[in-house]
Amino acid sequence: MTETPAAPVRTTCPYCGVGCGVLAETAADGAVRISGDPDHPANFGRLCSKGSALAETVDLEGRLLHPKIGGRESGWEEALDLVASRFSETIAEHGPDSVAFYVSGQLLTEDYYVANKLMKGFIGSANIDTNSRLCMASSVAGHKRAFGEDIVPGTYEDLEQADLLILVGSNLAWCHPVLFQRVVAARERRPEMRIVTIDPRRTVTADAADSHLPVDADGDAALFNGLLRHLSETGTLERSYIARHTAGFDEAVAAAAEWTVERVAEATGLSEGTIQAFYAAYASSERVVTVYSQGVNQSASGTDKVNAIINCHLATGRIGRPGMGPFSVTGQPNAMGGREVGGLANQLAAHMDLGDPVARDVVGGFWNSDSLPHGQGLKAVDLFDAVADGRIKALWIMATNPADSLPNADLVTKALENCPFVVVSDVIEKTDTTLHADVLLPATAWGEKDGTVTNSERRISRQRAFLKAPGETRADWWIVSEIARRMGFADAFPYRSAVEIYREHARLSEYRNEGARLFSLAAHANIDAAEYDEMVPFQWPLAGAEKRQGEKRLFSTGGFPTADGRARLIPVTPPAKRAREPGLFRLNTGRVRDHWHTMTRTGKSTRLSQHIAEPFLEIHPRDADALGLDAAGLARVESGFGTAILRVLRSDRVAPGTVFAPMHWTAQFSNAGRIGAVIKPDTDPVSGQPALKGTFARISSVIPKWFGFAVLNERPKDVPGSYWALATAPGGWRLELAGDTNPEDWPAYARALFGMEAGQEILSFLDESSGYHRFAAFENDRLIGALFVGPEPVAASRNWATGLLEADFSRPQDRLLTLAGRPAAGEVEEGSIICSCFSVGINRIAGAVADGRAATVDEIGAVLSAGSNCGSCRGEIQRIIDHARHQKTG
Ligand SMILES: Nc1nc2c(c(=O)[nH]1)N[C@H]1C(S)=C(S)[C@@H](COP(=O)(O)OP(=O)(O)OC[C@H]3O[C@@H](n4cnc5c(=O)[nH]c(N)nc54)[C@H](O)[C@@H]3O)O[C@H]1N2
Ligand SMILES: Nc1nc2c(c(=O)[nH]1)N[C@H]1C(S)=C(S)[C@@H](COP(=O)(O)OP(=O)(O)OC[C@H]3O[C@@H](n4cnc5c(=O)[nH]c(N)nc54)[C@H](O)[C@@H]3O)O[C@H]1N2
Ligand code: SF4
Ligand SMILES: [Mo]
C-alpha cells in the first residue's frame, strides 16, 4: 500500500446499486472527508444520507483485523493452511459437492471472479451461490427468458426522460435515493412527466408520486397481464416490432385474455377506475419506463412478474429508446458485477450458463480445466438446507450475513452451528454469522480495497483505496487466491493485483464470443495497471473498436442474444389469490432510509442511527385496536418458523390484514428483532428467490411488567430484561428496554447496566407505588448513564436524553434535572430526527410550518437547513408540511 494520497481519491459508494461516484480526502490527522463526485454520471455530485455519512463508518471499532481460528489469533499462514487442507480433505473424502461457498453482491468483481473460478473451475462443484439469490435472481431469470441474456437495456437518463415512470415494488426514495432525486428534479423541469407507484404500502416514494396503486400483495402479474390485454384490445401495439423482433406474442396475449379489468380488480384489490386510468396512461404514453425492485423479485411469482412487465414493453416496442424500457434497479453495489462473473449457482462466467455444453467447453478451455461441473449447484435456500442436513460439510461465507438475511434464519443459525467447518471472510469481528465460524478471515473494507463494480445501468466504475489496510486485513481476491494455491491450483491463480484479474475477466468475455453474448469487455483485454488506475466510469458492452462500444441503450432494433435474434414474450399465469385466514397477517419486510442491511456499517454512524433507532412493526390502527396493541407498545410476530418482538407503529400506510417490518435488526442490536427468523422459506419456482415479502404470521400483544429507556456512555456488556434494542447516539448509546419481572433492587440494576461497581454513587428517584423510577450517574462532570423506567412505554424525550451524553454536568443542579425526563422549559424538543445531516427533528419542522416561517421544503431548508444537504429526507419533510397544513385547515 502506498502513502495516503493528498488529492481526493475518486471511488464509488459501497451501498446501493445506483453506484454514485465519491471523492474521498484524507487529512494529515487521518480524518476522512467524503463528497459526491461531480463528474460521475450516476450522481453528478449528489450523495444520499448513507453516502454522506461514509466517513463515520471507516473507523476501526469492531473491525476484524487478524485471522482467527476458534477465536484465537492465528496469523495468515496457519489460517490459510487450515482452510485449504480442510476443504481438500473434505473433497477427497466426500466429493466436490460436499463443500460450498456463499458469497455476495458486495464483493468487487475481481473478488467474485476468483471465488467463482475456484469453485466451478477447479474444485469442480457448482455449489457457489450468492446473496443475489435473495435480491436479483428473479430479474436475472426474467431477463434471460425474455432477452436470452441477463441485460438491463436502458440507462438512468431514461427515467428522467420518461413521460410515464412506473415504480413497481420499489421504494426508490429510500432505497435508491440519488436516482430518485434525479427523477424528482426531472419532473420539476418537465411537469408533464407522471410517476405512478405500485406498492401495497404507502411509502415515502408513493407520497411523492402522482398516483399510488395500493395493489394487494402479489397482484402484480395480474395487473400487467390485464395491461397486455388492454394494449392488444385497444390496438396500442407496435406490430412491426412484434413481428420482426419477438416470438411468443400470441401465446402471451392468449394467457392474458381472461384478465379483464373486473378480474384484475378482484386480484389486486384496486378499483376498476384506478386500473382503467393506469392502463389508459400507459397506452397513451410512448415514453414509459417501468422500474421494478424487491416487491417484484422477492416473491413466489417473482420471475413471472418480471416477464409480465417486460411483455408489455416488447409488445409496444418501448424498449431501448430514450425514455423507454423495463428497468430492474439493482440493490447491492455490485449485484451486476456478480452476475457478469457468473456467481449464481446456475451460471458459469461471462454471462454463460452451466447447463450449456458449449459454454462449459468455452470456459473450461479458457481456464485450462476439465473439472467444470455439469449440473447446477444448490441455490441459497437449498444450500443452507444441505448445510443443515449434513450434505455440505465445509462452508465458506464471504461478505454476507446469512444468519440474519436468509429466510428461516434460526434454521440457518443451527445449520452453521452443526456444520463441521465454517469459514467466514468479513470486515467486522462480531456478527450473527461470524459467531459460528471456525475460521475468521479479515478482509479489507471499503476505502482500503481496489477493484471494479457495476451499477444498475451496466456502468462499471472503480473502487479505489484511500486508506491503509489495517492490521492483517487482505483483499478478498488475495485470500481466495492463497487458498486456491494451497489446494494445488497455483497455476490458475497467479494474481498479484486486481488489474490482472480484471484483464482475465475482460478476455474471457470475448473468448470465442462471436457476438452471441452481448456482455463484452473486449476493449479491455490488454488493459495495463496505469489504464486500470485511470479507468473512468463506462457502460458495457465494450467490444472491440469496430463493434458495439459503450451503448447506452440496447434492443431498439432487436438484436437479442437468442438463437434467432428475437426476444420472447412469456405467457404468465398469475398466482391464485390466497384467502385471508383469520388471525393471520401478511408480513411484508424491507428497508428503512438510513440503514444498510444487517447494520454492520450504518449501525456505527450516530447520524444514521437517529432516524429510526429501533425495529418496528407497522400495523393498521384497526388491526392494532382489535389486538390491543397500543402505540409504542410491543408486538410479538410468530410464524411457526420463528418469532420476533418489535415496537408497535400504528399507521394507515399499511393495509388492514398486512404488517411491515424492517429487515435490518440483528442480535447485535436487539434481542428479538431478527425478522429473518420469522420468514417462511418459500421460493420462486423459476429463480429460486425466496418470497421475503410474503410470510403469514400471527401477531399478539406483549405486555411486560416494565418498560425502560436508557442512555449510556459505553456499550452495555449485558442487558438483563426480556426485550432490548440498542443504537449508537452522539457520545454513547441509547437503549430501549422491557422486562417481564421487576428487578428486586432497581438501583443495583441501573448500576449494572451503567457498568458501575456495587455501591458507587447513583442519583435515583424511586416511586414504588406508581412504578416510575429514574436513575442517573456521573463521573468527572459527564453522564455515565441515565435510566427511565415505568409500567408503560417510557415517554422521556429520546433526543433530549441522548443529548445529555455530551452535556457538561459541572453544576450539581443540572444533574438533578436529568431525572425530569424532558427538556427544561423553553428548550425545543426535537422529536424524532428527520434530517440526519443536520439532526433536525419533526417538532422543529412542524413548528416552523405552524408559526409561518416556512411553507415549502425549500423554505424549511432555508430556515432550519433540514433537507438542504443530501436531500434524502425531502419526502418526509413534505409529508410533515402537508400534515401541519391539514391540521391548520381541518
Ligand atoms: N436505505 C437502504 N437502501 C438500500 C438498501 C438498504 O439496506 N437500505 N439495500 C439495497 C438493496 S440490496 C436492495 S435489493 C434494494 C431494495 O430496494 P426496494 O426493493 O425498493 O426496497 P424494499 O424495501 O425491500 O421493497 C420495496 C417495496 O416492495 C413492496 N412490496 C412488497 N410486496 C409487494 C408486492 O407484492 N407487490 C408490489 N408491487 N410491491 C410489494 C414493499 O412494500 C416495499 O415498499 O435497496 C438497496 N438500497
Ligand atoms: N426479510 C428480508 N430479508 C432480506 C431482504 C428483505 O427485503 N427482507 N432482502 C434481501 C436482500 S435483497 C439482500 S441483498 C440481503 C442482504 O443481506 P446480507 O448480505 O446478509 O447483509 P449485509 O449486512 O450487507 O452483509 C454483508 C456482510 O459483509 C461484510 N462486508 C462488508 N464489506 C466487506 C468486504 O469488502 N469483504 C468482506 N469479506 N466482507 C464485507 C459486512 O460486515 C457484513 O457482515 O438480504 C436479504 N434478506
Ligand atoms: S444513492 Fe446513496 S447509497 Fe446509493 S450509491 Fe448513491 S450515495 Fe450510495
Ligand atoms: Mo438486495
Side-chain angles (χ1 to χ4, degrees):
M1 198 70 34
T2 50
E3 277 293 287
T4 307
V9 172
R10 272 175 211 279
T11 184
T12 311
C13 176
Y15 295 122
C16 85
V18 177
C20 296
V22 165
L23 296 180
E25 287 166 275
T26 322
D29 65 355
V32 170
R33 215 184 82 83
I34 296 293
S35 55
D37 179 353
D39 298 326
H40 197 288
N43 57 318
F44 300 105
R46 293 186 183 90
L47 292 178
C48 75
S49 49
K50 294 182 298 303
S52 306
L54 272 168
E56 290 178 39
T57 63
V58 294
D59 64 287
L60 298 183
E61 180 73 35
R63 276 291 294 276
L64 173 65
L65 294 172
H66 303 281
K68 292 196 166 176
I69 299 174
R72 149 186 80 82
E73 279 180 29
S74 63
W76 274 110
E77 285 305 312
E78 191 187 346
L80 293 168
D81 285 344
L82 177 66
V83 174
S85 61
R86 283 295 296 263
F87 268 77
S88 295
E89 284 158 24
T90 308
I91 294 162
E93 199 173 327
H94 304 282
D97 287 335
S98 65
V99 302
F101 295 170
Y102 184 58
V103 304
S104 162
Q106 291 168 75
L107 289 170
L108 303 181
T109 299
E110 293 73 6
D111 302 327
Y112 227 134
Y113 178 87
V114 288
N116 190 53
K117 181 178 180 183
L118 173 57
M119 183 54 86
K120 290 184 185 139
F122 293 86
I123 289 177
S125 168
N127 283 343
I128 172 169
D129 208 38
T130 126
N131 64 359
S132 283
R133 185 70 60 195
L134 318 180
C135 182
M136 303 311 303
S138 298
S139 278
V140 173
H143 290 156
K144 289 176 80 156
R145 288 206 301 196
F147 308 143
E149 192 174 333
D150 174 23
I151 286 174
V152 174
T155 176
Y156 293 157
E157 278 168 29
D158 292 324
L159 277 69
E160 298 169 316
Q161 293 169 348
D163 290 331
L164 177 64
L165 178 66
I166 308 168
L167 303 171
V168 196
S170 155
N171 188 6
L172 207 71
W174 277 12
C175 295
H176 300 89
V178 167
L179 185 55
F180 184 72
Q181 286 176 36
R182 283 180 60 170
V183 166
V184 170
R187 189 180 50 178
E188 274 163 23
R189 291 192 299 272
R190 288 194 310 115
E192 67 275 19
M193 176 177 176
R194 286 283 165 272
I195 305 173
V196 175
T197 56
I198 301 173
D199 192 313
R201 207 163 54 107
R202 203 167 77 240
T203 59
V204 173
T205 311
D207 288 336
D210 298 286
S211 60
H212 170 220
L213 274 53
V215 65
D216 282 351
D218 284 344
D220 310 272
L223 184 66
F224 281 88
N225 254 9
L227 175 59
L228 183 63
R229 176 183 187 274
H230 175 89
L231 295 170
S232 89
E233 299 253 302
T234 53
T236 324
L237 299 169
E238 185 58 47
R239 290 278 172 199
S240 65
Y241 191 91
I242 295 170
R244 289 171 60 192
H245 303 307
T246 74
F249 172 77
D250 291 339
E251 294 83 348
V253 170
E258 57 187 286
W259 290 92
T260 59
V261 171
E262 300 77 58
R263 276 207 62 192
V264 174
E266 256 168 61
T268 59
L270 300 169
S271 75
E272 291 182 19
T274 303
I275 297 165
Q276 262 149 353
F278 169 60
Y279 289 174
Y282 194 107
S284 63
S285 312
E286 173 85 352
R287 289 173 176 246
V288 182
V289 170
T290 311
V291 167
Y292 47 95
S293 188
Q294 300 312 348
V296 167
N297 293 336
Q298 290 173 342
S299 156
S301 58
T303 310
D304 278 349
K305 291 188 191 188
V306 170
N307 287 110
I309 290 169
I310 295 176
N311 282 348
C312 296
H313 281 275
L314 289 172
T316 49
R318 294 172 186 165
I319 184 167
R321 288 185 282 150
M324 298 178 214
F327 203 110
S328 147
V329 274
T330 51
Q332 299 179 88
N334 201 28
M336 284 292 225
R339 286 144 71 175
E340 287 148 20
V341 303
L344 290 159
N346 47 321
Q347 299 178 326
L348 189 43
H351 276 198
M352 284 175 273
D353 277 327
L354 257 181
D356 173 4
V358 177
R360 282 202 304 274
D361 194 51
V362 171
V363 179
F366 182 82
W367 282 343
N368 201 9
S369 165
D370 50 18
S371 315
L372 269 58
H374 286 254
Q376 298 190 353
L378 294 167
K379 296 177 179 147
V381 172
D382 299 335
L383 191 145
F384 278 86
D385 281 346
V387 177
D389 67 23
R391 278 174 288 155
I392 302 285
K393 295 171 172 61
L395 174 67
W396 186 356
I397 297 165
M398 299 173 212
T400 178
N401 194 357
D404 298 310
S405 56
L406 272 169
N408 203 3
D410 285 348
L411 178 91
V412 171
T413 305
K414 272 200 209 91
L416 292 175
E417 272 167 21
N418 296 338
C419 182
F421 191 61
V422 177
V423 182
V424 179
S425 303
D426 207 291
V427 300
I428 296 295
E429 173 141 26
K430 204 168 160 212
T431 73
D432 293 351
T433 299
T434 60
L435 285 177
H436 305 287
D438 297 288
V439 181
L440 279 177
L441 302 175
T444 43
W446 180 79
E448 303 152 7
K449 56 196 286 177
D450 273 298
T452 55
V453 289
T454 311
N455 75 0
S456 295
E457 54 169 1
R458 285 178 280 112
R459 192 180 298 282
I460 297 185
S461 301
R462 280 291 315 275
Q463 267 197 20
R464 293 185 176 89
F466 58 90
L467 296 168
K468 284 192 175 129
E472 293 182 271
T473 59
R474 295 286 184 277
D476 285 292
W477 63 260
W478 181 92
I479 304 173
V480 178
S481 303
E482 286 295 322
I483 300 289
R485 283 175 212 155
R486 283 168 171 76
M487 290 179 74
F489 311 123
D491 290 350
F493 295 84
Y495 316 113
R496 282 156 298 137
S497 63
V499 63
E500 295 170 25
I501 304 166
Y502 179 81
R503 191 159 56 223
E504 181 177 315
H505 167 56
R507 285 182 184 170
L508 174 55
S509 73
E510 194 58 3
Y511 183 67
R512 289 173 58 188
N513 183 1
E514 278 87 45
R517 305 171 332 245
L518 278 182
F519 174 68
S520 173
L521 301 173
H524 282 165
N526 294 309
I527 190 168
D528 63 23
E531 288 164 331
Y532 186 71
D533 274 348
E534 284 153 23
M535 182 190 285
V536 291
F538 69 92
Q539 282 176 293
W540 63 259
L542 205 62
E546 75 288 2
K547 291 195 243 156
R548 316 186 72 152
Q549 280 263 12
E551 283 159 275
K552 269 191 191 170
R553 301 183 179 86
L554 299 163
F555 308 142
S556 62
T557 53
F560 292 93
T562 50
D564 56 8
R566 287 167 182 273
R568 296 285 181 283
L569 281 89
I570 306 291
V572 167
T573 309
K577 197 170 177 176
R578 186 174 154 158
R580 206 183 148 202
E581 286 169 43
L584 288 186
F585 288 79
R586 188 167 169 126
L587 169 64
N588 179 4
T589 62
R591 291 157 171 80
V592 303
R593 191 189 78 194
D594 285 357
H595 275 306
W596 178 260
H597 295 166
T598 67
M599 290 168 47
T600 61
R601 289 171 296 161
T602 48
K604 289 177 154 209
S605 159
T606 54
R607 258 203 291 166
L608 296 179
S609 300
Q610 287 185 85
H611 181 239
I612 295 176
E614 200 184 6
F616 60 88
L617 185 77
E618 211 170 1
I619 183 165
H620 194 277
R622 224 160 67 200
D623 291 330
D625 283 344
L627 295 169
L629 295 174
D630 296 331
L634 294 170
R636 176 179 287 106
V637 189
E638 286 167 290
S639 67
F641 294 92
T643 304
I645 297 176
L646 307 167
R647 186 69 60 181
V648 174
L649 181 67
R650 294 163 59 107
S651 150
D652 63 2
R653 303 174 77 83
V654 294
T658 73
V659 290
F660 176 84
M663 65 167 291
H664 306 289
W665 273 267
T666 70
Q668 306 304 312
F669 291 97
S670 168
N671 68 326
R674 280 172 65 247
I675 202 70
V678 184
I679 309 283
K680 186 178 184 205
D682 276 348
T683 57
D684 177 273
V686 185
S687 68
Q689 177 155 355
L692 294 162
K693 303 210 176 322
T695 295
F696 286 84
R698 244 165 243 292
I699 314 285
S700 56
S701 168
V702 176
I703 305 179
K705 274 259 162 24
W706 57 272
F707 289 89
F709 173 71
V711 292
L712 306 153
N713 68 345
E714 280 185 13
R715 187 179 175 129
K717 291 200 174 50
D718 176 37
V719 187
S722 57
Y723 171 85
W724 59 263
L726 187 66
T728 55
W733 298 83
R734 54 188 282 184
L735 178 66
E736 299 287 346
L737 286 160
D740 290 335
T741 49
N742 270 305
E744 288 198 353
D745 179 351
W746 270 110
Y749 176 94
R751 277 197 196 91
L753 188 67
F754 300 167
M756 298 163 70
E757 309 277 315
Q760 238 179 303
E761 193 189 337
I762 188 166
L763 277 182
S764 45
F765 168 88
L766 279 158
D767 184 344
E768 295 297 349
S769 61
S770 71
Y772 286 99
H773 315 307
R774 292 163 196 171
F775 307 92
F778 302 86
E779 200 172 64
N780 304 331
D781 302 339
R782 289 277 173 187
L783 182 78
I784 306 176
L787 169 66
F788 308 89
V789 178
E792 278 156 15
V794 173
S797 156
R798 302 312 193 246
N799 294 304
W800 164 80
T802 52
L804 299 176
L805 288 167
E806 292 190 315
D808 169 36
F809 284 102
S810 42
R811 301 187 324 164
Q813 62 269 42
D814 291 337
R815 298 185 175 197
L816 276 174
L817 279 176
T818 57
L819 298 183
R822 63 187 148 75
E827 281 178 44
V828 182
E829 156 54 4
E830 289 283 349
S832 69
I833 296 297
I834 301 299
C835 167
S836 37
C837 294
F838 296 106
S839 293
V840 184
I842 188 168
N843 293 346
R844 249 204 300 162
I845 297 170
V849 180
D851 63 22
R853 277 179 298 151
T856 65
V857 178
D858 286 334
E859 286 168 15
I860 289 287
V863 297
L864 301 175
S865 297
S868 64
N869 182 41
C870 80
S872 301
C873 60
R874 292 175 69 90
E876 284 152 279
I877 295 176
Q878 184 65 55
R879 205 161 93 199
I880 296 163
I881 294 172
D882 294 345
H883 187 74
R885 281 225 197 92
H886 184 74
Q887 289 206 317
K888 255 190 192 169
T889 54

